[in-house]
Amino acid sequence: MPAKSEFGRGFIVNLMLLSRHFGLPPERAFYGAADHLNDLTVPEQFRGTEIGELVERLRKTVIWHQPGIMDKEDTADARRLLNRIAIAIDTELGIQNPDAGKYD
């Protein structure tokens, strides 16, 4: 049995943990967010799909962010990517017309 993860291990679990960061004010959102990328695993069925591509974009957004520079814009981008990932997963699961809602 693998050691207990400090920052989460999995796919949905780590996306949920990342979403908590991006619910914080922009100037605080990125602190520690990259830790949740360590054991973020894209399931095999999503590799090479829109979901896999969106996760890679989210990864780059989080890793490349420079704290204090474009916090508000990068936080908004991360939120949009998380919403797009959630909608793409719901669509893949057969849910018709998933929607992240008006307020994100």
Side-chain angles (χ1 to χ4, degrees):
M1 181 147 123
K4 188 158 179 77
S5 173
E6 190 170 0
F7 301 110
R9 179 181 303 116
F11 185 55
I12 299 299
V13 169
N14 289 62
L15 290 174
M16 180 207 54
L17 293 170
L18 281 164
S19 72
R20 288 182 185 170
H21 280 270
F22 298 108
L24 297 171
E27 62 276 4
R28 294 180 39 215
F30 283 90
Y31 289 105
D35 294 334
H36 303 297
L37 298 174
N38 293 338
D39 289 321
L40 172 66
T41 304
V42 177
E44 188 65 40
Q45 67 264 34
F46 297 146
R47 292 183 188 157
T49 69
E50 177 188 16
I51 295 167
E53 177 186 315
L54 290 168
V55 170
E56 190 56 33
R57 288 178 55 195
L58 178 63
R59 230 183 253 281
K60 289 177 182 176
T61 298
V62 172
I63 290 171
W64 292 349
H65 177 74
Q66 299 293 316
I69 301 171
M70 294 183 56
D71 289 337
K72 188 174 182 179
E73 296 84 351
D74 287 350
T75 298
D77 286 345
R79 285 180 185 149
R80 278 191 292 277
L81 285 166
L82 284 162
N83 284 344
R84 289 185 63 197
I85 291 166
I87 288 168
I89 291 169
D90 275 354
T91 300
E92 186 68 27
L93 293 173
I95 296 172
Q96 294 182 3
N97 301 315
D99 190 338
K102 182 176 180 179
Y103 301 101
D104 58 358

